[in-house]
Amino acid sequence: MAASPPQKINVSLDVNGETRNVAIRPADTLLFILREYLGLTGAKPGCLNGDCGACSVMVDHTVYKSCIMLAVEAVGSKVTTIEGLKDSPIQHAFIENFAFQCGYCTPGFIMNCHALLKNHPQPTYEVIKEWLSSNICRCTCYEEIQEAVMSVIEKRE
Amino acid sequence: MLSADIEYYRPATIKAATELFFSLKGENKRPVYYSGGTEILTLGRLDLIQPGALIDIKAIKECLVFEFDRNNLLTGAALPLTYIEDANLFPLLSATSMGIADHTARNKITLGGNLCGQIFYREAVLPFLLCDSVVTIAGQNGVESLPIGQIFNQTFQLAEGQFIIQIMTERRYVDLPFVSIKKRQQWETGYPLLTVAAIKVENQLRFAFSGLCPFPFRSKEMEDELNKAGLSLPERVKRAIGHIPGPVLHDVEGSSEYRLFVLENTLNEIIIELEGR
Amino acid sequence: MHIIGKGITRKDSLEKVTGHAKYTADFEIKGMLHARTVISPFGHALIKQLDLTEAQRIPGVRAIVTGDHLPLTGEELRDRPPIAVDRVRFNGEVVAIVVADTPYLAMRGVEAIKVQYEQLPVVNSPSEALKPDAPLLHPNMGQYEKIQGVYPEPGTNIATRTKIRKGDRTKGWAESEVVVEEKFAFRTSDHAAMETRCSIAQIHPGGTIEITSSSQAPFMIKKLIGQYFGIQPGTIKVNTPLVGGAYGGKASVQLEILAYLATRAVGGRIVKMMNTREEDMLTSPGHIGLEAQVKLGCTKEGTLKVAELLYLWDGGAYSDKSIDLSRAGAVDCTGPYNIENIWCDSLCMYTNHPYAAPFRGFSHSEVHFAFERTMDVLAKKLNMDPLELRYKNAILPGHTTPTQFRLNASTVGNVPKCIEKLKELMNWQEGQVTNLGQHKVRAKGIACTWKTSTIDPNASSGVILTYNPDGSINLISGVVEIGTGTKTVLAQILAEQLKMDIKDIHVQMHVDTVNTPEHWKTVASRGVYMAGRAVLAAAEDVISQLKSLASFILRAPIEDVEVGYGKVFLRGEPSKSIPIKDIAYGYTFPNGNSIGGQIIGRGHYMMPGITYLDKETGAGKPGPEWEVAAQGVEIELDTREYRYRILRAVTVVDVGKVLNEKTLTGQVKGAMSMGLSFAARETFYFDSLGTILNPQLRTYRPIRFGEHPKYEVAFVETPHVEAPFGARGAGEHGLLGMPAALGNSLSAALSAEVNYLPLIPELLWKIKGGER
């Protein structure tokens, strides 16, 4: 095996309500740890550069691109991935409004929408745009995603 | 993800951070201060930078303040940009900040990271240049505060081991009339073709620019020309353009000729708007 | 979770919204190795030195693969070393592969490899490639192996030339009273599917090669890797799970070859190779570029008489699919018009750019941009409404295509009807340009499109249906679920045919070439047509098996029994029936005697009558039918700074028959979005060394939320009689006319000819003389 073993540290991550103990390299991104060590492959690698939003997850109440966050930075916080959403209105809305095709950007988009709707129960179009322009969907024309978000807002009224 | 094995530290005090820096430095571990970290991770994965140890400053409370202290607004370097926007204590800073990257990325990008980044737009500096803010930095010799004009010249002129703790901006500036315009190659995504921020102080306009030269700047010479009320607007703009303090960018975002064309229009727009207020 | 909403949405819905949908990169097993590539930073250079020593010393690096002693590859012309030897011909070309225990160790290995290059002169555009003194990228072109219909021109940079010679151009020009000639150009770009390509390969002890890949063409991987390396295709097994967007880009076989080489270098251990975004843009094949010259002649009344066309395709450093792309661009070298005299040369050119994969629309949005822009220039010169000019010349049943195929009411859609509907939806009579004052104008632009699918004449699609004991059916098709929802539509077709609940149809989403019948490639908007026909055949097979068993149990002639609603019943006396679940696994008599067995249906389909094209004239039947559309875009332009917004985009497409309206609308709108994004912003920027300056999604920028216009889609239904329920393709047509329509709207707004892409404000400023 390796002559100089990788310098790993043991950390405890709270992911989707479970405590997960894992040995990580400080250089590992949260995305890498979620996918490779915790088996949570819902967050997707799309650019590893913070550009596309496919890897978006929530850390406490904020949505982050997990490719530009170190796993070690999430210690002490509550991480929620798409696998941690259960029956949320936005998931249903995505299905009903055909807001995805290939589905690859979907977990990231849904997490961002979910965070948006948690933080802004009645967002204006400007706020929706501000938030959702953080993610790229290459299949839909975005109208379907807009309709999905709007349908959740309308049902709240 | 970085290929190298690095060390990560999260000191709670300024002193601990700087001491850590120099001790890691002494061990030849190539320490860097880490705030939002987005640029360190994106340049690092391309092997364009090779940090050996990260000193995360997000646990240092002085770096996280965003409040008025008597006549000054204190803005901590480790604040995420969206935090600054949501609190909106400094509307010009909010407006300029909202043009940077995208909303989710700005949950991670911090003020200090944007100000000290290698990616040369550093748009968050523009409001502070306009407001003659004072920058508080920590380093080997402790904490000191300097007018931004002294410490910022294209980039922050930080000595080894120094980092920005916070920026002080006089209260009287933060509510002044302002304009912040970001124009891109196309629509609303991407780096600036040109970002211009301007405020009106005692009937004088101040301007700061990003995306025009390979560094952000505020130019007194350009401001002098742009404030010459006796001249026609086109003439003022034309003269100001003669004082651009460096080469005009010519890259994939736009040619230098086009940038100058857009600059001319933008200055016209801003002056008409601010002089009308 | 319960599915909300009436009727069945997509069969993959729940998996996709919960994060449980599995794509290639989501498979990870213990002991898996990871591979990364060293790629060329330059467009054209000699490799003077490749120093692996430091990398080889890194603990955890298991192998480094270089390009020596590998066969040449390429789908039509074998011109491409899988890993560069001695020289690199594009920025992104693979120079070495590092295989290591973890992704970061593989990265470390890559960072430690030192390559010394010596720059060579760069061919940076297809017109440069055509110059007599251009550097030759493939001096050995004459010795390359090739398939039928490929005509390389050794001693030049022309990988193939397709000629269209229809009618007599001399006569056409003689009859023309009004003539226009325009030039067009745009560089190569990218598909930018959100899932970067990923391949996992291993060699089992018995010699079976197993590859899992994000591909539109798992069966082609098996075939080509077999051919390239002299392996029996039967010993190659390819798996394709869900694919995260493809748009043609994953129809090429590229990363799979590297993954195979990587596993071979480590004794067959399982190796995963996932492209970074940068590699996905640079190394894996992208979207072809084009330079075009279009010359049109017509009478004073606007009747088209002749088209003379030169298409120079920027095929990149290796020809792979660009040969076929240049051929497809010749097949439909004009818009959907009746033109008796056509002369077209379509040349696949080698350049020092990344090479090309198919891109949604397969050369049609590219050709249409040039042709449909020229139609507007012609209309202007004629002082004629551009929609009217198109209406007047619309191709109709009875006319012939550029390849001289005579159309009928089934083989071509209804162009005039699409135009009429578009006219209404665009509110065309209010005028094309409206001056809003304050330096603002609104303008509309339109384009008409057509497309046939130039796929291999013997391309086959197969379907297997197996029953479950509860009477439900498993539907197994070689179509890859790339996002189009095709497999859900196939389930609908089956449900319709067997008169059963779609909930009782279980669709196998993944493809495994061992147990899944072949579907040639999931490309060319042909999934529903070909696999749909295979479904119909398999359904017939199942029905006849059910009937013959039931007729015996029900004691009635086969002709008198019917299948539906979960039963086999007597036509004249429906109460006499037997549930399908009681015979789906054979029938058991009360005393235990049993007959039959699990019912397994099979069906396949090949398109009839497709021919190769004649070498000298291009004559032939290249595809099954021509689908048509009319499209429009409305923009608002600031005439001072040349910034604009796209307000709305409209498509009227003759889809033959709407099978699933929501899915279909989504396909069309999504394609429109991609077309506008390509037209308005997407391109690679090259420097003089052939290096791409924007290989990331922060510098290469697909359209984002909030930048999107309002989309409107309407359908015309002219059935294609051979297709299931008459349906024509759906996946590409929304894209085809968008670049041209956007270009036409901007040209109208500016009263200037906008003939380049992307349509960024700076380009408009330059065209209006801003640069001076």
Side-chain angles (χ1 to χ4, degrees):
Chain A
M1 274 307 287
S4 58
Q7 304 166 8
K8 290 198 173 179
I9 52 172
N10 292 305
V11 297
S12 197
L13 291 171
D14 179 334
V15 183
N16 299 332
E18 294 177 0
T19 302
R20 307 286 298 265
N21 296 310
V22 58
I24 64 170
R25 294 186 317 136
D28 290 334
T29 59
L30 178 59
L31 176 66
F32 181 78
I33 296 304
L34 288 173
R35 290 177 56 83
E36 309 290 319
Y37 291 5
L38 304 183
L40 297 168
T41 56
K44 298 292 182 227
C47 64
L48 306 180
N49 209 50
D51 301 332
C52 78
C55 66
S56 298
V57 300
M58 278 176 82
V59 179
D60 295 329
H61 301 291
T62 307
V63 61
Y64 289 102
K65 298 179 176 183
S66 61
C67 72
I68 47 169
M69 180 173 213
L70 295 172
V72 67
E73 291 181 88
V75 173
S77 295
K78 289 187 183 306
V79 178
T80 309
T81 70
I82 184 79
E83 290 93 340
L85 288 198
K86 296 279 185 271
D87 231 0
S88 75
I90 191 66
Q91 289 171 296
H92 292 279
F94 261 61
I95 296 177
E96 287 155 22
N97 291 279
F98 287 71
F100 56 87
Q101 290 177 21
C102 82
Y104 199 81
C105 75
T106 310
F109 243 115
I110 287 181
M111 291 313 293
N112 195 13
C113 292
H114 180 74
L116 165 67
L117 294 164
K118 287 259 168 201
N119 285 279
H120 296 269
Q122 297 290 329
T124 61
Y125 178 73
E126 280 310 306
V127 170
I128 295 173
K129 179 175 144 181
E130 173 75 11
W131 279 62
L132 299 193
S133 58
S134 305
N135 299 57
I136 301 173
C137 172
R138 195 60 164 158
C139 293
T140 74
C141 72
Y142 297 115
E143 273 186 355
E144 302 90 339
I145 294 171
Q146 189 177 332
E147 282 156 14
V149 172
M150 294 311 293
S151 76
V152 175
I153 296 168
E154 279 157 19
K155 277 180 194 155
R156 280 178 173 174
E157 279 169 355
Chain B
M1 188 175 61
L2 309 175
S3 69
D5 289 323
I6 52 160
E7 295 175 14
Y8 173 86
Y9 301 92
R10 198 178 169 98
T13 66
I14 295 168
K15 191 155 172 288
T18 51
E19 283 175 4
L20 194 54
F21 184 94
F22 288 101
S23 73
L24 289 166
K25 169 87 186 139
E27 296 169 50
N28 228 348
K29 284 186 172 162
R30 302 187 313 280
V32 295
Y33 292 111
Y34 180 97
S35 188
T38 57
E39 189 177 292
I40 291 173
L41 294 179
T42 54
L43 297 182
R45 65 176 273 271
L46 298 175
D47 202 28
L48 298 173
I49 54 169
Q50 293 88 17
L54 306 179
I55 304 170
D56 189 336
I57 63 164
K58 291 196 293 292
I60 300 172
K61 64 180 190 305
E62 290 87 344
C63 295
L64 296 169
V65 296
F66 194 38
E67 62 193 23
F68 284 102
D69 175 27
R70 285 172 308 239
N71 286 326
N72 284 312
L73 175 64
L74 305 181
T75 309
L79 294 174
L81 294 178
T82 46
Y83 181 90
I84 291 171
E85 295 157 23
D86 292 344
N88 200 23
L89 301 178
F90 188 179
L92 167 59
L93 180 59
S94 306
T96 308
S97 171
M98 285 174 79
I100 296 168
D102 61 56
H103 182 268
T104 307
R106 292 201 306 281
N107 284 337
K108 193 74 181 17
I109 299 170
T110 61
L111 176 65
N114 184 267
L115 295 177
C116 300
Q118 285 192 23
I119 298 171
F120 58 56
Y121 301 106
R122 297 185 282 271
E123 290 153 278
V125 79
L126 304 184
F128 300 112
L129 291 175
L130 294 175
C131 297
D132 291 327
S133 299
V134 172
V135 184
T136 303
I137 52 178
Q140 203 161 18
N141 304 319
V143 173
E144 57 183 322
S145 293
L146 295 164
I148 194 164
Q150 266 182 44
I151 194 169
F152 186 85
N153 177 15
Q154 304 190 1
T155 61
F156 278 95
Q157 308 293 303
L158 298 175
E160 182 163 58
Q162 284 186 327
F163 69 98
I164 298 176
I165 300 166
Q166 51 186 231
I167 303 192
M168 283 189 293
T169 306
E170 282 183 60
R171 186 191 284 266
R172 65 185 179 105
Y173 282 115
V174 301
D175 293 321
L176 290 176
F178 72 90
V179 173
S180 180
I181 295 181
K182 178 168 184 168
K183 292 183 176 172
R184 299 168 173 90
Q185 182 202 58
Q186 175 73 293
W187 301 332
E188 293 164 65
T189 310
Y191 288 125
L193 181 69
L194 180 68
T195 299
V196 187
I199 56 170
K200 185 170 166 181
V201 187
E202 290 155 5
N203 258 338
Q204 291 289 296
L205 304 185
R206 297 181 181 183
F207 296 84
F209 304 86
S210 169
L212 185 59
C213 298
F215 50 84
F217 67 90
R218 176 181 165 197
S219 157
K220 298 268 190 269
E221 290 79 8
M222 289 176 73
E223 283 175 9
D224 288 345
E225 300 291 356
L226 292 167
N227 279 302
K228 280 186 179 154
L231 298 175
S232 70
L233 183 51
E235 182 61 22
R236 287 153 68 186
V237 169
K238 193 175 146 221
R239 288 188 182 199
I241 285 173
H243 292 284
I244 294 171
V248 175
L249 284 170
H250 187 82
D251 57 21
V252 295
E253 304 299 338
S255 66
S256 53
E257 296 83 4
Y258 183 62
R259 276 191 158 92
L260 287 173
F261 167 75
V262 173
L263 174 67
E264 210 175 305
N265 292 330
T266 310
L267 288 173
N268 278 321
E269 279 169 50
I270 292 174
I271 292 171
I272 290 168
E273 174 161 359
L274 283 182
E275 289 191 342
R277 282 206 216 167
Chain C
M1 195 186 284
H2 301 287
I3 299 168
I4 299 169
K6 300 279 177 273
I8 285 288
T9 46
R10 304 171 57 105
K11 286 277 189 184
D12 48 8
S13 287
L14 283 174
E15 269 154 351
K16 285 183 172 173
V17 300
T18 57
H20 290 94
K22 291 278 186 241
Y23 302 81
T24 301
D26 297 337
F27 294 91
E28 184 80 21
I29 61 162
K30 283 231 177 340
M32 184 180 253
L33 300 176
H34 295 263
R36 290 286 303 268
T37 59
V38 176
I39 58 174
S40 163
F42 304 116
H44 200 191
L46 294 175
I47 302 170
K48 300 304 283 186
Q49 206 192 0
L50 187 57
D51 182 358
L52 309 178
T53 41
E54 201 187 313
Q56 281 162 335
R57 278 204 290 263
I58 294 174
V61 167
R62 301 297 165 199
I64 298 173
V65 191
T66 58
D68 305 314
H69 315 300
L70 297 177
L72 289 173
T73 63
E75 202 164 319
E76 302 214 351
L77 180 66
R78 302 241 188 119
D79 57 6
R80 185 179 89 246
I83 300 173
V85 187
D86 301 334
R87 113 159 141 162
V88 289
R89 295 181 176 87
F90 70 97
N91 172 205
E93 183 159 7
V94 177
V95 173
I97 305 171
V98 177
V99 189
D101 290 348
T102 66
Y104 56 85
L105 289 171
M107 274 169 86
R108 240 177 250 180
V110 166
E111 287 159 8
I113 289 177
K114 292 181 185 61
V115 193
Q116 272 180 35
Y117 297 96
E118 182 184 308
Q119 305 277 345
L120 291 171
V122 172
V123 177
N124 236 339
S125 73
S127 52
E128 274 179 38
L130 195 60
K131 287 181 182 159
D133 58 345
L136 281 190
L137 297 194
H138 292 272
N140 301 327
M141 193 198 292
Q143 280 118 60
Y144 293 152
E145 272 183 66
K146 58 184 168 54
I147 64 165
Q148 184 166 357
V150 181
Y151 312 111
E153 300 182 8
T156 74
N157 286 315
I158 301 169
T160 198
R161 180 192 298 262
T162 305
K163 297 183 213 170
I164 295 292
R165 306 287 184 261
K166 178 186 170 189
D168 177 355
R169 65 174 161 164
T170 318
K171 180 168 162 276
W173 290 122
E175 289 168 3
S176 295
E177 294 157 304
V178 180
V179 174
V180 291
E181 183 169 7
E182 293 289 314
K183 288 187 180 181
F184 302 86
F186 48 89
R187 287 169 285 221
T188 58
S189 50
D190 198 55
H191 306 78
M194 294 320 298
E195 178 203 30
T196 58
R197 295 160 178 92
C198 182
S199 299
I200 300 168
Q202 69 186 114
I203 304 169
H204 292 282
T208 299
I209 297 162
E210 182 171 356
I211 297 174
T212 302
S213 195
S214 52
S215 172
Q216 291 170 267
F219 298 93
M220 197 50 73
I221 294 170
K222 177 169 129 175
K223 180 176 155 190
L224 290 180
I225 288 190
Q227 281 176 9
Y228 298 153
F229 295 95
I231 302 163
Q232 295 289 330
T235 60
I236 304 171
K237 167 182 157 80
V238 181
N239 312 303
T240 295
L242 294 171
V243 171
Y247 324 109
K250 291 172 182 167
S252 302
V253 179
Q254 176 258 335
L255 190 62
E256 297 84 2
I257 301 170
L258 302 183
Y260 166 63
L261 294 174
T263 185
R264 208 173 67 166
V266 290
R269 284 183 67 184
I270 188 163
V271 180
K272 182 192 271 189
M273 274 192 99
M274 184 177 199
N275 274 350
T276 61
R277 176 57 60 185
E278 291 82 357
E279 287 162 338
D280 211 55
M281 289 193 159
L282 300 172
T283 305
S284 290
H287 178 189
I288 203 162
L290 176 68
E291 291 180 17
Q293 291 174 33
V294 180
K295 195 175 171 192
L296 297 180
C298 69
T299 65
K300 281 202 295 281
E301 293 75 33
T303 303
L304 287 171
K305 285 291 167 191
V306 60
E308 199 167 323
L309 313 150
L310 176 64
Y311 295 134
L312 298 179
W313 297 92
D314 189 343
Y318 300 103
S319 61
D320 208 49
K321 282 305 289 180
S322 58
I323 286 180
D324 200 11
L325 284 156
S326 68
R327 193 185 294 126
V331 159
D332 293 331
C333 57
T334 68
Y337 310 111
N338 177 35
I339 309 173
E340 277 163 17
N341 308 297
I342 301 173
W343 176 287
C344 172
D345 273 6
S346 185
L347 278 62
C348 179
M349 303 302 301
Y350 285 121
T351 65
N352 289 117
H353 292 169
Y355 67 99
F359 176 79
R360 199 173 193 173
F362 210 71
S363 298
H364 286 66
S365 67
E366 298 81 352
V367 161
H368 279 85
F369 174 67
F371 197 91
E372 286 295 286
R373 277 283 306 115
T374 312
M375 284 294 279
D376 262 35
V377 175
L378 183 63
K380 199 160 111 185
K381 195 160 180 183
L382 285 162
N383 201 16
M384 192 169 175
D385 180 334
L387 211 45
E388 184 58 37
L389 177 66
R390 288 170 171 86
Y391 194 84
K392 190 181 178 90
N393 290 286
I395 198 154
L396 301 171
H399 294 151
T400 60
T401 69
T403 64
Q404 303 177 47
F405 176 72
R406 194 163 298 279
L407 297 165
N408 64 30
S410 166
T411 50
V412 67
N414 193 328
V415 179
K417 213 164 164 181
C418 290
I419 293 177
E420 284 161 21
K421 213 156 184 170
L422 181 75
K423 195 169 175 177
E424 196 182 300
L425 289 171
M426 293 289 291
N427 199 11
W428 191 252
Q429 71 286 354
E430 77 175 0
Q432 207 181 347
V433 180
T434 313
N435 194 337
L436 304 175
Q438 306 275 328
H439 318 285
K440 292 264 164 59
V441 290
R442 275 192 187 196
K444 298 169 190 172
I446 47 103
C448 291
T449 70
W450 66 341
K451 179 180 187 289
T452 193
S453 316
T454 49
I455 70 180
D456 285 7
N458 62 351
S460 168
S461 183
V463 160
I464 293 173
L465 304 175
T466 60
Y467 266 102
N468 296 306
D470 57 1
S472 66
I473 299 185
N474 304 310
L475 194 168
I476 306 163
S477 152
V479 169
V480 177
E481 183 45 70
I482 53 177
T484 51
T486 305
K487 283 188 157 166
T488 304
V489 176
L490 294 180
Q492 283 182 288
I493 292 173
L494 183 63
E496 181 72 31
Q497 211 61 11
L498 291 178
K499 301 187 195 73
M500 63 189 288
D501 192 331
I502 194 168
K503 285 208 295 288
D504 293 329
I505 297 170
H506 307 285
V507 176
Q508 178 181 296
M509 282 296 164
H510 70 270
V511 169
D512 166 345
T513 57
V514 171
N515 66 25
T516 312
E518 174 155 341
H519 177 77
W520 181 65
K521 298 181 187 179
T522 304
V523 296
S525 305
R526 285 297 159 224
V528 168
Y529 171 31
M530 295 182 59
R533 279 293 298 259
V535 166
L536 291 180
E540 277 314 308
D541 186 19
V542 160
I543 288 169
S544 85
Q545 292 181 52
L546 290 170
K547 278 183 177 176
S548 77
L549 192 54
S551 88
F552 155 73
I553 298 160
L554 296 172
R555 301 169 203 200
I558 286 189
E559 300 76 44
D560 289 353
V561 295
E562 294 262 331
V563 174
Y565 320 105
K567 295 177 291 195
V568 186
F569 55 91
L570 293 191
R571 198 163 42 176
E573 209 176 340
S575 60
K576 282 202 171 161
S577 68
I578 182 160
I580 287 176
K581 68 179 168 54
D582 292 349
I583 57 171
Y585 265 57
Y587 181 71
T588 300
F589 289 91
N591 74 349
N593 292 169
S594 301
I595 53 162
Q598 183 188 17
I599 290 179
I600 299 169
R602 65 65 303 12
H604 58 213
Y605 186 72
M606 263 188 199
M607 298 188 298
I610 308 296
T611 68
Y612 296 113
L613 303 180
D614 181 80
K615 185 185 177 194
E616 295 307 323
T617 65
K621 184 188 179 189
E625 56 94 27
W626 276 258
E627 181 162 346
V628 303
Q631 301 186 285
V633 164
E634 185 169 2
I635 54 123
E636 186 174 301
L637 174 84
D638 175 340
T639 52
R640 207 172 28 173
E641 204 159 289
Y642 307 104
R643 309 197 150 265
Y644 66 92
R645 288 188 304 139
I646 304 175
L647 303 175
R648 63 189 189 122
V650 183
T651 293
V652 182
V653 54
D654 190 341
V655 291
K657 173 77 183 167
V658 176
L659 297 183
N660 181 330
E661 190 171 4
K662 279 236 171 184
T663 301
L664 183 58
T665 306
Q667 282 299 302
V668 176
K669 286 183 177 181
M672 291 164 77
S673 170
M674 186 169 254
L676 290 174
S677 186
F678 158 50
R681 194 157 64 194
E682 294 183 32
T683 184
F684 282 139
Y685 292 95
F686 294 90
D687 70 8
S688 58
L689 303 177
T691 300
I692 292 179
L693 303 172
N694 60 331
Q696 296 187 322
L697 293 174
R698 62 175 62 179
T699 42
Y700 183 102
R701 305 175 189 121
I703 192 167
R704 298 243 176 180
F705 189 103
E707 294 174 331
H708 64 285
K710 187 173 168 356
Y711 292 94
E712 290 167 57
V713 177
F715 301 115
V716 169
E717 295 185 316
T718 309
H720 171 219
V721 297
E722 286 160 4
F725 308 100
R728 299 175 193 271
E732 301 167 289
H733 294 267
L735 195 155
L736 306 184
M738 282 294 119
L742 183 61
N744 284 337
S745 68
L746 290 165
S747 298
L750 292 167
S751 304
E753 305 313 335
V754 184
N755 292 356
Y756 303 92
L757 297 177
L759 299 160
I760 55 174
E762 178 166 0
L763 170 73
L764 307 180
W765 169 77
K766 276 185 187 158
I767 286 170
K768 288 301 276 184
E771 214 166 7
R772 279 186 288 275

